[in-house]
Amino acid sequence: MAKKFKSSGIAPLLILFVFIMTLTVRLFNLTSGKSVDEIFMKTIVAQVVIFALPALFYIRTRGDKYFSNINASAMIPSKTLFCIYTLGVLVIGSMLIQFIVYAIGGAEYSVSTTGQELSAISEKSGFSYVFLALCLIPAICEEFVFRGILLYEYSGYGKFCAITLSSLAFAMLHFDINGFLSYFFCGIVLGSAYYITQNLFITMILHLANNLFSIYAITLVSQMIMGSGSTVLSLFILISLFLLTLILSLREASIIYWEYAVGDAVMKKNDKAQKGRTHGIYAITEVFLSPVFLVCALLFTVMSILVF
């Protein structure tokens, strides 16, 4: 049996490793290539090296039964409507945040630079490469680390700390100051969806669908919503759609919790992780003022300053 390590010692190191490797790939432009095929292959390899291999190694050090603790099971059909409505919250909420950011800055709303780059790449390459390198593999690898390992390891500090930490780390990891709030929002939604469904596979599906939308549909949808030429009307449409999907998603969430209660299947898998941990202001201090988290925040800040 593999030797077990305390999560408080090794989980932060996993975060730091992912940050350093991502930064290294970006600084040295290791995913560049002479052809589109070469770029995609390097992107796939980078995802595996940065996320998948360290995550598998981490799981191995934590024991043979660790994989079952992060709830990476198949999706339950009864949660399909929740997934659909939550995807609406994810997509529309991100667009709304970007729209508000541009409005505050006095600039005209446009699709994010990342979205434009992804759309341009997709037009020059086949669907299979785009789907694998930019949608499927990132969704699996990133969710496995941020909503699987991190949420489980930090659940002992309370769901608020766990979701906030994983969302901040997820947002900073993209090293995109313009899209920081959007990425943070996505992390909050995905983290909440994980706790509601207790199913990592569902967050992977949501992440995958959101990636597909960002590449193939966001430009068209943005043009439709902003086609009126009125900032107030466009904002009204986005807020209305967001509130509608949010209400529907919360309704489905309440049904899921009702099913847990009726079936006496209230989530208890993480109870063991809750023991011996602090909560409240002490938990916030211990989590967000930890050396590793502060180093990650520093890396993100320095890169943002250098880029702009």
Side-chain angles (χ1 to χ4, degrees), residues 49-62:
V49 172
I50 293 173
F51 295 101
L53 293 181
L56 291 174
F57 173 77
Y58 180 86
I59 290 174
R60 181 61 180 167
T61 65
R62 298 287 283 125

Side-chain angles (χ1 to χ4, degrees), residues 234-247:
S234 298
L235 183 61
F236 174 77
I237 294 174
L238 283 172
I239 292 177
S240 298
L241 291 174
F242 174 73
L243 291 177
L244 176 62
T245 54
L246 179 61
I247 291 172

Side-chain angles (χ1 to χ4, degrees), residues 201-266:
F201 186 67
I202 287 179
T203 67
M204 290 180 179
I205 292 177
L206 290 172
H207 196 146
L208 169 63
N210 186 62
N211 288 348
L212 285 169
F213 177 85
S214 298
I215 294 175
Y216 291 105
I218 190 171
T219 301
L220 177 61
V221 173
S222 298
Q223 291 175 349
M224 293 174 58
I225 294 177
M226 311 305 165
S228 63
S230 171
T231 301
V232 175
L233 180 58
S234 298
L235 183 61
F236 174 77
I237 294 174
L238 283 172
I239 292 177
S240 298
L241 291 174
F242 174 73
L243 291 177
L244 176 62
T245 54
L246 179 61
I247 291 172
L248 292 173
S249 178
L250 292 176
R251 176 182 179 275
E252 292 301 316
S254 66
I255 293 175
I256 291 174
Y257 275 110
W258 179 80
E259 291 175 349
Y260 288 146
V262 170
D264 196 25
V266 180

Side-chain angles (χ1 to χ4, degrees), residues 96-109 231 235:
L96 177 60
I97 290 173
Q98 286 292 333
F99 182 87
I100 293 175
V101 169
Y102 276 91
I104 294 175
E108 183 179 354
Y109 174 86
T231 301
L235 183 61

